[in-house]
Amino acid sequence: PESTLYEKLCNPNDNGECQFANTVSLDENLPCHRNECRVDEVVIVQVKPGTFYEYIRHPCVQLSFYDDAKKVVTGYSSKIAGVGRRHTHAMCAHPETAVAARSCCDVAFADIAEFNYKMEFHGERTVFATTELQCTTDGGRVCDANG
């Protein structure tokens, strides 16, 4: 209830009761609040039990060409003896756009998955700097898509 995003989605009437609309368009960037600040991009948000909103990115807004592209993969096949992991599909991504999950290798603790590493929610996507910071903070590195 203290969140600016919640207030916009709630759209309270004069009695303070939420009047949730089917579609809400935000015309400005809003400051994050608590858990909202832990993710690079809010995709789905639950404003009350059973009431969800989904962020739908506008098509053709991001530039197709950019500097310092990073390789991201859609998945990995199992390890091959003497070769290591092989990615199943790869593509280039803008490092400042939240389009990939965290993937950290060589971290000290072995009980945490390398892929979707320490995600805040299922399907979370992050910018490259967020993944890099998390990996290096935990003593690892961003996994190389080549194995």
Side-chain angles (χ1 to χ4, degrees), residues 25-77:
S25 295
L26 301 176
D27 54 3
E28 62 183 328
N29 289 329
L30 304 176
C32 63
H33 181 73
R34 294 189 180 171
N35 289 354
E36 296 167 358
C37 300
R38 295 186 353 206
V39 297
D40 290 329
E41 181 177 82
V42 176
V43 180
I44 295 177
V45 61
Q46 181 176 0
V47 291
K48 72 173 198 170
T51 304
F52 297 86
Y53 281 95
E54 176 182 14
Y55 167 67
I56 299 175
R57 181 189 304 255
H58 287 284
C60 304
V61 174
Q62 303 294 328
L63 297 175
S64 298
F65 301 98
Y66 39 81
D67 295 327
D68 197 28
K70 302 293 180 191
K71 183 188 256 185
V72 296
V73 297
T74 59
Y76 284 88
S77 59

Side-chain angles (χ1 to χ4, degrees), residues 64-107:
S64 298
F65 301 98
Y66 39 81
D67 295 327
D68 197 28
K70 302 293 180 191
K71 183 188 256 185
V72 296
V73 297
T74 59
Y76 284 88
S77 59
S78 54
K79 285 190 175 184
I80 302 168
V83 176
R85 274 194 179 81
R86 292 285 185 195
H87 58 273
T88 53
H89 296 91
M91 64 191 119
C92 290
H94 191 302
E96 296 176 9
T97 303
V99 295
R102 298 175 194 189
S103 178
C104 298
C105 290
D106 302 331
V107 292

Side-chain angles (χ1 to χ4, degrees), residues 9-25:
L9 298 176
C10 171
N11 188 30
N13 63 16
D14 292 338
N15 296 330
E17 298 166 339
C18 290
Q19 305 298 307
F20 296 114
N22 288 333
T23 302
V24 176
S25 295

